[in-house]
Amino acid sequence: MIGLATARERWSSFLGCFVAVALGVAVVTTSALVLLSDGTKVPERLAGAPVLVRSPAGTQAGGIFVENPPWAPERAEELRRRLAGLPGVAAAVTDRSFYAQAADTEQREGERQGHPWSTAALAEYGLSEGGPPATGSEIVVDRSLGFTPGDPLTVLTARGPQRFSVSGTMDGPGYYVTDRRAAELAGGARTIGLLLEPGTDTGRVAAAARSAVGGDGTVLTGASRGALAPQQDETTRWIGGQVLTAMAVLSSFVTVFVVSSTFAFAVAQRRREFGLLRTIGATPRQLKRLVYGEALAVGAAGAAAGALLGVVLAPTMTGVLIDAGFQPAGFEVRLRWWVPVAAFASGVTVALVGVGAASRRASRVKPLEAMREAVVDSRPMTRRRRVAGLAATAVGAVCSVGTAFAGADAIVLLALGTAMSLTVGLTLLAPALVGPVVGALTRPLARRPGATAVLVRESMITAVRRTSATVAPVLATVAFAVLITSTVETVRSADTARQAAAVRAESAVVPSGTPGLSDAAVARAGGTPLLSTTVYGGDGAAALTAAGVSSGFEQVYAVPAPRGGTVVVTEAVAAAHGWRKGRDAPLTLEDGRTRRLRVTAVVDDSMPYQVLLPHDLVREHDPSALADVAYRTTRAPAHLPAGLHADQVSVAAYADSDDAEEDRLVWIFTLMLVVVSAGYTAIAVASTLLTATAGRVRDVRVLRLSGATSRQVLLALAAETCCVVALGAALGLATAAPALFGTVHGLRQELGLPVRLSLAWPWLTGVVTGLLLLATAATVLPARRALGRLRRA
């Protein structure tokens, strides 16, 4: 009861804790609701089949989702016949897909697929107008494209633009051609759909199908058919899950930091109060319970508000994630009652954990010590804090040295370790550093005429706890913002330079408005194409990125090109599968056939693909493969008609745009983390200054009685706040600098290229400016209200 009463009486001191807990619980609630929602739906073109059988799953790498290995053609046909003979099955249809896109029509990724007409029976939609394709030159398309039966239509395929006549339209996505034409354009089969006779029990047929396919497939029914959603959706969901998880973890961690720092400063401000309670008989245990009671009251109120806010904001956050590309289109969040309950409990727990150190400090207050304490902070540092701060700073220094000499894989981790260690170390040492640093930096103020400059300087030096409590969160946020944004930009620039330096070509022909280059575009460009495909190797059918290359590849990459029945693999792939030069490597290709290819070379892992195959071999087994790029070694410009959807750019421009979508997602992810950390810092700074200003009413009164005007008082307080924020920003830059310069030096040594440091100045300026404005408002507004009360008194 006492804790609740004091929390209500000192609400301004605990406002920052309340807001931090509320926001942390809101983020956790929203993140958990989105993560636990199964956003994958059954694809429309397969939803008409109650039972679906998919090929066995291969080995998936974290964050990289690819299609399952296809069945061999003979095995796919055998399974189809076996499934078609099951009781209650009206038909078993093998599904295949190939790249198809209407020329000059903007479409989403999932709609760029063509299928044999027989698979239209698996869709939950049907013909809306016209009839099925009867010849190889006829096609059925989505009605939303705006075509009607009889219209001519140019469709982009892997071979090049193909002329069709629209025979009919459907109420769903996709392009449907005759089965014979689709067999020429499509790769292997991965799905077989079962159409049931009326009144047939789906569960009985599914059980029979499982017995029929054994280990050669997975039977899906009901909602589990959502596993056949486009793999791009799974990749998008995985990326979104990483973003939400990082935000939830960061919010929980920073909430503990805000609660801990706010209560620590509040306890320091209330030492006389605690000393008075000790003199009237309060025990250390009772003081500890008092502080915990305050934290429980604030944490429960903040957690309740945050849980409710998280439930309300979950649908809105889902829309934001979809727009940003972190969730697939059509994703819907599902509310679960226990998620906000668990988030509420976690919020209360975080508040109690954060107040642990402050409660111990309160319990150690002695009656006479508190009553004798002066206004000046004479001993702001404890021995334990000093040792921990020096140890963390030493670790950061060691990591900084290591960053300059580490390999590319360890540079980012060491840079992060450097910044984190230095941030923790300087935050812990802030009370000891503030006095000397402020004294040295503000020495010119002592020689300036007028009392305001001297007052600002002396106030910062004497009130070490207040100054360090404001400096610490600003330092941490600036260091984090500078390190993360600048490291991402520097590494991206270095990677672009590395890719451009590795290619010996005059220009690059790249796709424009399509996923890749067709054979027609490559032939017109006259360059060396990289025909992208996926192969599967090893007992676990591990998916490997592969490219079909021609003899010109040797000139472009200075790597021997495979010929005939040979293959070139990277060192990591060779080590993982036990492949060596001169040995055979069994690889399953896109049509489901397995070939044993002789390894003629093992190359560095810096290659853009894990496996290099002869161009003709890839085209033979993957009729729908597209080239990512075609490099040209001649200076003469290529003549590329608009219908081929290809552009010629410089090698550097292609290297910069190669991973444009991935870079965009990384930047959004990075900026979201910076915004979250800056938001919590704003809460910590505002809370500290509100508490400090509320406790400086006596200082304000003394200044007014000494002859200072209200304007001079407010100017002094505002100037002090600006100096403190500027000091925190400077220390934050100093903290991030060793990690950044070490990263640049390490990348230069690793790549042998002139890597430059890239600083995200707009974001740094925005963060510091926002903190400065908020801190000034949190200081001036309460002080102005206190001055108003003094005038009325």
Side-chain angles (χ1 to χ4, degrees), residues 554-734:
E554 297 184 13
Q555 181 179 354
V556 174
Y557 271 97
V559 170
R563 294 180 175 84
T566 63
V567 63
V568 174
V569 299
T570 60
E571 294 176 350
V573 170
H577 298 283
W579 298 338
R580 295 197 298 271
K581 183 178 179 180
R583 297 288 185 88
D584 287 346
L587 293 173
T588 300
L589 304 174
E590 183 59 26
D591 61 355
R593 293 184 170 88
T594 300
R595 296 283 301 269
R596 297 188 67 86
L597 305 174
R598 183 169 297 276
V599 178
T600 56
V602 178
V603 297
D604 187 78
D605 291 326
S606 62
M607 293 298 298
Y609 303 92
Q610 296 172 297
V611 176
L612 300 176
L613 300 167
H615 180 278
D616 293 341
L617 180 67
V618 171
R619 176 53 73 211
E620 176 187 352
H621 292 274
D622 189 357
S624 191
L626 295 168
D628 290 334
V629 63
Y631 289 110
R632 303 186 75 248
T633 55
T634 60
R635 295 182 179 273
H639 179 61
L640 300 169
L644 296 180
H645 291 264
D647 290 329
Q648 184 174 350
V649 299
S650 66
V651 173
Y654 170 68
D656 187 52
S657 63
D658 185 22
D659 297 322
E661 178 62 16
E662 180 180 345
D663 291 340
R664 184 186 71 86
L665 295 178
V666 169
W667 259 112
I668 294 176
F669 182 24
T670 301
L671 298 180
M672 288 176 70
L673 294 182
V674 171
V675 169
V676 170
S677 64
Y680 275 101
T681 299
I683 295 171
V685 171
S687 176
T688 299
L689 292 175
L690 283 172
T691 303
T693 305
R696 298 179 69 181
V697 176
R698 177 182 298 178
D699 296 343
V700 172
R701 182 183 296 110
V702 170
L703 289 174
R704 290 288 287 123
L705 293 175
S706 301
T709 64
S710 298
R711 180 182 178 183
Q712 289 175 321
V713 173
L714 295 177
L715 179 61
L717 295 178
E720 180 183 340
T721 301
C722 292
C723 290
V724 171
V725 173
L727 176 61
L731 291 176
L733 286 172

Side-chain angles (χ1 to χ4, degrees), residues 26 154 434 479 655 670 676 679 751 772:
T154 299
V434 162
T670 301
V676 170
L751 302 178
L772 187 61

Side-chain angles (χ1 to χ4, degrees), residues 124 129 136 244 269 328 361 380 411 414 449 453 498 579 600 604 644 752:
E124 63 178 2
E129 191 177 5
L244 292 171
Q269 294 284 95
R361 179 176 296 177
I411 284 178
L414 285 174
R498 179 190 62 79
W579 298 338
T600 56
D604 187 78
L644 296 180

Side-chain angles (χ1 to χ4, degrees), residues 78 176 194 204 359 401 412 456 463 537 697-698 719 723 747 758:
E78 179 186 350
Y176 292 87
L194 304 185
R204 182 173 58 82
S359 66
V401 174
V412 175
V456 169
V697 176
R698 177 182 298 178
C723 290
L747 289 173
S758 300

